[in-house]
Amino acid sequence: MLFYACPLPLSERKKLDTYLLLSENSNTWKYLNLEIEPGRSKIDQCLLFAAVLHCFVLGKASLREMEVACFTDLRIIYLIGEAQPSRSSFSRFITDLVPKISFIFAALMKRVFMECSKSMNTVYLDGSKFEANANKYKFVWRPTIFHLRLCEKVANLLRLMHLEKGLPKAGIIPSKIIMEKLPDVDNVSPALIEGGQNTLAKMRRQLSGYLLKALEYEEKEAICGEHRNSYYKTDHDATATCLKEDYYSGLGSQMHAAYNAQIVVSNGFVVSYYVSQDRTAIRTLQPAMEQYYRWYGTYPERLCADAGYGSLANYEYCDQKGIKAFIKYGSWNREKTGRNPATYEYVDENTFQCLGERKEQRVEPPPNYRYKSNSAYFYVKDYSRCNFGLYCRRYLKNKSQNSRLFEIHPRYALLKQQARDLLLSPEAIEMRVNRSCQVEGVFGAIKQNMEYTRFHRRSRDRVTVEFALTSTGLNVRKYLKFIESEKVPFYWSAQQTLEPETFKKPSAKKIENRINRRKKLQPNEIAKKATKIRGCASPTKNRILQQPLFSSKEL
């Protein structure tokens, strides 16, 4: 043979046929636009979807990589045939998937779990920040302070013109009120203004400038929304946040445009996703669980998450929905090691036990105290007899004070203690081990194996579609692997003889020595230790390492 043609290997053809059969059996074609429209003939939508999704399976998330794959990758050519769509065609098709991708994802996952004979009763939740496709240093902060200062200037100016009637007593003055005051300036008599007609005209121009500035501030606040303090000029949905990898300075302190991507994992597969604009994960648990409920019609029986999700609202939400929550709280690791033990144990409505094992009764808050209706107050006296007295008084202004008033939220204290007792059980040990294997492993596969570390599209809807296709691609990759090896996913199970975990008993002497050592440090030394990044060389050391060992003259 003079001209050798490279055929697709049989093993790859079997994989692609299995992949197409999965798409066919999950009825994903129902959500695609299969209607014949007048005009130029379009590429078959089913073939185009199969090609796009398999590009994400192969880790090709950019439009140019997809376009090149239609010419050079035999697997994509096998799926799409002789059609050669451009990157514009791929872009339009992916954008059209915005209202459909959630139904397609849920249908595919139901089919995968049915064929693997697995259930979604146990899920693991975690999140990671992915950099957005926005330019460097193009973020805009929420102008709350500047808006308040502007409103003070507006109020003072209107008082000078005797137009303060109808203004709010405090807070932000809406631009609508300022606009309504502008025609009233013409009715103000120049005799009432010091400086006459010229000063009045100057005030009117000044008020018009304040109106334009107020409209600008209101527009920025509307773009930020209720729970955000920043956005980017090139992508209004992206939020300015710090990432673990900071290629600007290497210190992790520079702001990047990013989205907070949350995934719900079961048996190694991503069963739900949620792209958030929040800088933290504490408000993302409930939307992620509600989306899971919309897709599968039920809530999971067990949920495991890290300390970033431990809050009163999340504990109460899981309690109301009947979800057995294995969620750590913020001080879990410090209490577990005995380094920073809990200062009290909530016993019942009227009793609590301090770290020194003394039980105290509930008291009324002192006069002139900022009383909260949902708080309980307990008074501990005579710290001179307690070994942990110095530790319990570490946040008081007067460290020599011999007593302390504890303010406790009873509901949160009770839920946190229930979560602690649950996390120490053998069942929770199994859940915590599998969480680090499953959900952390999924993010590792996405970022390292698929080389997907940042979004390529802008706006939250398009980013959500892109992340959904990435998660689906990872699921299809795992499904094909399991079908080929004829092994269903398996993770560690706790032995029946496994005993519950216990907290390390705190040592009063060690805690006291650590507090005394910390007192000797200067404030700047404490700040340096708190912000120290391990494994990050100092700028001076970097400059030394970058210098050549020999000069050109010596060589």
Side-chain angles (χ1 to χ4, degrees), residues 195-214:
Q197 184 67 35
N198 293 335
T199 304
L200 183 61
K202 183 178 179 181
M203 288 181 174
R204 179 183 172 82
R205 290 194 300 270
Q206 198 171 7
L207 187 62
S208 300
Y210 288 161
L211 174 61
L212 295 176
K213 207 65 179 175

Side-chain angles (χ1 to χ4, degrees), residues 16-151:
L16 295 175
D17 291 340
T18 304
Y19 160 64
L20 293 173
L21 189 62
L22 173 66
S23 301
E24 181 74 21
N25 293 336
S26 58
N27 296 327
T28 54
W29 54 270
K30 290 183 179 180
Y31 307 104
L32 301 176
N33 185 16
L34 303 180
E35 297 179 359
I36 300 176
E37 299 178 358
R40 294 176 58 185
S41 59
K42 296 173 60 177
I43 301 173
D44 187 274
Q45 298 292 290
C46 293
L47 297 180
L48 192 58
F49 173 76
V52 167
L53 182 56
H54 202 72
C55 283
F56 278 90
V57 172
L58 301 175
K60 304 177 187 296
S62 69
L63 298 175
R64 292 187 182 274
E65 288 177 335
M66 295 180 189
E67 183 182 21
V68 172
C70 293
F71 291 89
T72 59
D73 198 314
L74 294 177
R75 293 164 290 188
I76 305 301
I77 296 172
Y78 180 83
L79 292 173
I80 205 168
E82 297 181 357
Q84 297 176 348
S86 63
R87 60 180 180 274
S88 300
S89 301
F90 282 120
S91 177
R92 286 191 298 269
F93 178 76
I94 293 175
T95 304
D96 292 340
L97 289 177
V98 169
K100 311 167 188 175
I101 190 62
S102 59
F103 303 103
I104 294 173
F105 181 88
L108 278 169
M109 292 319 301
K110 288 177 184 177
R111 185 68 190 182
V112 167
F113 273 76
M114 187 180 70
E115 294 191 8
C116 292
S117 300
K118 291 287 184 178
S119 67
M120 301 182 189
N121 295 333
T122 301
V123 298
Y124 305 89
L125 174 65
D126 200 7
S128 182
K129 296 183 183 71
F130 287 81
E131 189 173 359
N133 182 16
N135 293 338
K136 182 179 179 182
Y137 299 134
K138 294 294 181 182
F139 53 85
V140 179
W141 294 110
R142 189 187 189 95
T144 305
I145 296 177
F146 295 105
H147 202 171
L148 289 172
R149 291 176 182 172
L150 177 69
C151 292

Side-chain angles (χ1 to χ4, degrees), residues 359-379:
K359 290 187 177 181
E360 303 292 343
Q361 298 298 317
R362 185 170 180 173
V363 298
E364 293 296 325
N368 301 327
Y369 192 84
R370 293 182 178 179
Y371 176 72
K372 298 179 182 178
S373 59
N374 54 1
S375 297
Y377 298 88
F378 297 88
Y379 193 67

